[in-house]
DNA sequence: CCGCTTGTTGGTCCCGTGTGTGACACGGTG
DNA sequence: CACCGTGTCACACACGGGACCAACAAGCGG
């Protein structure tokens, strides 16, 4: 049953003017109290606070934004036309980290999913409209238009994952990013396999248009510069793609005794194929994945040895860098950060 | 290399005033043109449009919101303290549908992740602050405070999934929801197992504080009202939980010859246990899941027969209902919608 | 006692748009 | 020729709140 005596104040939201009137001060003073209370005597501060409480005053966001030119919102742009994102817990975890850290900064998260070039107009209009103070972008593809748009409109941005231009060796200080040490993590994984005495270590790679996949290939080659071409097989970061790549690999090189797989999903597909073919893991073939996605790596048979990256922490870090940039009056850009990885040993290697 | 002769207009965003001046009309006329151009002669419309183009004018969102009291944004509130959300593609897919439909309506998506009671204050402030025109809420738990808050502030809302109070039989027209036919889908799954000649059909249920899990139990009981208590085993919607439940079930009732599992993740865990115990699927035990999450159901061994729900379509539908409500001057509430399910037959049953 | 400094406070303007209210021109009608 | 309805347009106000600036009081040193 609805409230029988509805409060008339409920529908008409009180304004700062009303608070000031009730507290018996001017609107300017009320405003000062609401924004921290600096330069106002304690008794008046208390009066205003009381009036705010009694009236249930909540500042009008639009009015405040209009004058401060700040709106306390950050856009998260994910450019991922493939279906993969939505079956990959990676983004969800990163967004969780981002959400938590944004909450700590009293900022809101506006989610922009980009699918196809047509959407870029929309994003452009949105950014140009000044709806958000900054952007957290996930630029996954090498042919991405996003960096150009962001540069053009000078929107403070932090990237998740090393953007392509940086991968070309042209680190742009105006496009800071947060990424895990893909190359170093890959090196550690391959070294681990080598240290187990494996002689023929293969690599199932991710899609070549993703920087993280390329970096992991580089890490593999750092340790095994002389590995045969055919030992590196392309995959697409999906379970099925991993299974196909493993099949291809076994057919081409029956002597393979270890595989470093570029992510956990593909590794789970690879494990399935190995099991179907009666190949023992890790006795005959040792397998190491990448990501340490709990729902996958702990559920495989056998449980997957893999390279952990702290996805949620990376999300939080992105927010911190962006806030640093927004709150530094100087407009100085923060440095990019590469977070460490850690080899998690389970049963598969 | 940055533009050598940076456009001075770039940093100072043009205002409607500037557009009007350039077009030689008053600001009021320029405003009318920008908002559709009704009641303005064609030649003037063209002049203003040209000025907008030349200046690269983009309306100031905050100023517009201040006067129209509409801000073209919708909050998506997900109250899920458990880690599960983030390893479950369910939400991602629904959000994808929501995002697409919001784009079609030129509205933005503000993501609010709620974790724990402390966060409700934040959400309350946010909703009361009038940051969004409406809310899409996923109320998963029976002890949810969200409906009360939303009712209190009279924010137009559409629920994803039948809220608890509706499950108690008190359908509140002011809290419309979109849900799939959990009970009907469960019935179809169980009937299918019965039609295969199975005599001892068990059910691995989801957590009892989630309405969808309860509805699926009801569907199971609709078909098998006399099933023994011990044939219904509790799970938690995770792969591991499914494995535990299956183990428990096999120990208690070795004669079981079919299982309807409340979601695909648990079904994949159950299949793993069956395989480990050397139980053949579907010969010895037939298995049906729920959700038809492609990444899971197609990847299990054997591929999973399951009940499909159109998650993305449900997301889109939620947005349509909300927009209907927002755009109807009458403030009338749309009706709740229950979308159909479909049994997808693969190899497991 | 006077002038100056420091600390508070209120008045006022401005942020950028939407919209109601008139004014004006035009053409048709009596 | 006077009157009036219709279509266009400009003016001005309002939306809610931040920030500058002048006014004022109190305190202090000379």
């Amino acid at each position: 049953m609805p409230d029988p005596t509805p409060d008339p104040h409920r529908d008409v939201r009180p304004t700062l003017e009303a608070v000031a009137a009730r507290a018996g001060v001017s609107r300017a003073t009320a405003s000062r109290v609401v924004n921290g209370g600096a330069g106002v005597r304690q008794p008046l501060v208390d009066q205003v606070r009381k009036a705010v409480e009694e009236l249930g005053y909540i500042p009008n966001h639009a009015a405040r934004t209009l004058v401060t030119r700040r709106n306390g919102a950050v856009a998260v742009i994910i450019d991922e036309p493939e279906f993969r994102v939505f079956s990959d817990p990676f983004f969800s975890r990163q967004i969780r980290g981002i959400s938590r850290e944004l909450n700590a900064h009293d900022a809101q998260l506006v989610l922009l999913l980009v699918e196809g070039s047509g959407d870029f107009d929309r994003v452009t209009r949105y950014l140009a409209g000044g709806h958000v103070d900054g952007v957290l972008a996930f630029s996954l593809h090498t042919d991405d238009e996003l960096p150009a748009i962001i540069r053009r409109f000078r929107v403070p941005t932090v990237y998740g994952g090393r953007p392509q231009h940086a991968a070309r060796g042209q680190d742009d200080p105006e496009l800071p990013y947060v990424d895990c040490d893909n190359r170093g993590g890959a090196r550690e994984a391959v070294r681990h396999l080598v240290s187990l005495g494996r002689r023929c270590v293969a690599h199932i790679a991710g899609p070549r248009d993703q920087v993280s996949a390329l970096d992991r290939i580089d890490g593999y080659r750092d340790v095994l510069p002389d590995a045969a071409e055919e030992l590196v097989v392309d995959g697409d970061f999906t379970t099925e793609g991993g299974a196909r790549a493993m099949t291809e690999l076994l057919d081409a090189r029956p002597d393979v005794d270890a595989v470093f797989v570029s992510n956990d999903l593909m590794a789970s597909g690879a494990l399935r194929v190995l099991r179907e073919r009666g190949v023992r893991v890790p006795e005959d073939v040792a397998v190491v994945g990448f990501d340490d996605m709990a729902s996958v790596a702990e559920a495989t048979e056998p449980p997957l040895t893999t390279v952990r990256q702290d996805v949620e922490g990376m999300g939080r870090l992105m927010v911190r860098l962006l806030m640093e940039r927004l709150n530094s009056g100087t407009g100085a850009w923060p440095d990019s950060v590469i977070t460490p990885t850690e080899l998690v040993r389970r049963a598969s290697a």
Side-chain angles (χ1 to χ4, degrees), chain A:
Chain A
M1 183 150 57
D3 190 348
T5 59
D7 186 349
H9 296 294
R10 177 120 317 153
D11 279 16
V12 192
R13 285 187 31 213
T15 150
L16 192 58
E17 187 81 46
V19 172
R22 187 178 187 100
V25 301
S26 77
R27 217 186 52 215
T29 300
S31 171
R32 281 188 274 261
V33 172
V34 169
N35 295 313
V40 180
R41 274 179 310 154
Q42 195 56 43
L44 284 194
V45 170
D46 295 340
Q47 283 176 44
V48 174
R49 293 251 162 84
K50 182 153 163 283
V52 165
E53 188 69 27
E54 289 169 354
L55 265 45
Y57 169 75
I58 294 175
N60 181 302
H61 184 67
R64 185 175 265 177
T65 298
L66 184 58
V67 48
T68 61
R69 284 140 190 288
R70 276 277 214 127
N71 43 28
V74 169
V76 171
I77 304 185
I78 298 180
D79 168 27
E80 180 51 90
E82 312 295 333
F83 186 75
R84 190 180 60 72
V85 183
F86 298 96
S87 54
D88 188 336
F90 186 86
F91 284 101
S92 304
R93 279 171 58 192
Q94 199 139 359
I95 285 183
R96 176 189 225 198
I98 289 171
S99 166
R100 286 183 170 175
E101 192 68 24
L102 282 177
N103 287 349
H105 289 268
D106 258 314
Q108 299 308 323
L109 190 170
V110 178
L111 190 63
L112 259 41
L113 299 179
V114 180
E115 311 180 58
S117 287
D119 271 12
F120 278 107
D121 286 351
R122 184 172 57 82
V123 172
T124 301
R125 275 206 317 280
Y126 190 72
L127 295 184
H131 294 63
V132 292
D133 296 331
V135 168
L136 301 176
F138 294 89
S139 178
L140 296 164
H141 303 286
T142 54
D143 59 348
D144 201 341
E145 315 173 38
L146 213 48
I149 294 178
I150 288 171
R151 288 189 64 86
R152 171 136 175 267
F153 288 97
R154 293 187 168 67
V155 191
T157 301
V158 172
Y159 272 87
R162 198 158 58 116
Q164 173 63 7
H165 68 92
R168 286 206 208 86
Q170 309 161 348
D171 245 36
D172 181 344
E174 285 193 27
L175 290 184
Y177 60 87
V178 172
D179 204 350
C180 79
D181 186 5
N182 284 301
R183 189 164 182 165
R187 275 199 297 264
E188 193 177 356
V190 177
R191 283 208 196 97
H192 174 64
L193 291 170
V194 170
S195 77
L196 293 177
R198 307 294 163 147
R199 297 322 207 65
C200 182
V201 180
H203 178 47
I204 295 180
R208 303 280 176 146
D209 63 345
Q210 291 194 33
V211 175
S212 62
L214 296 177
D215 284 350
R216 290 170 198 176
I217 295 175
D218 287 343
Y220 168 81
R221 290 223 172 274
D222 285 344
V223 181
L224 300 172
D226 301 326
E229 277 295 335
E230 60 189 0
L231 282 177
V232 178
V233 188
D234 281 359
D236 59 0
F237 275 166
T238 70
T239 307
E240 275 317 303
R244 280 195 300 274
M246 192 69 234
T247 304
E248 187 183 330
L249 184 60
L250 284 176
D251 291 346
R253 293 292 296 252
D255 60 325
V256 66
D257 61 359
V259 192
F260 164 53
V261 190
S262 201
N263 79 342
D264 287 354
L265 277 181
M266 290 200 297
S268 79
L271 287 176
R272 195 183 75 213
V273 168
L274 291 169
R275 192 172 53 233
E276 286 167 2
R277 298 228 179 170
V279 179
R280 293 171 307 165
V281 177
E283 293 82 355
D284 302 330
V285 173
V287 177
V288 176
F290 204 111
D291 285 347
D292 192 31
M293 294 189 340
S295 62
V296 175
E298 292 173 358
T300 55
E301 179 56 34
L304 188 65
T305 293
T306 187
V307 180
R308 169 179 300 165
Q309 52 175 329
D310 177 12
V311 181
E312 185 179 328
M314 288 162 64
R316 304 189 74 127
L317 198 48
M318 289 175 68
V319 174
R320 282 199 211 105
L321 291 187
L322 184 62
M323 290 301 166
E324 199 177 300
R325 164 73 170 77
L326 292 177
N327 296 329
S328 83
T330 67
W333 292 98
D335 288 333
S336 295
V337 176
I338 293 182
T339 63
T341 58
E342 177 197 0
L343 186 70
V344 178
R345 296 197 53 179
R346 295 201 180 84
S348 72

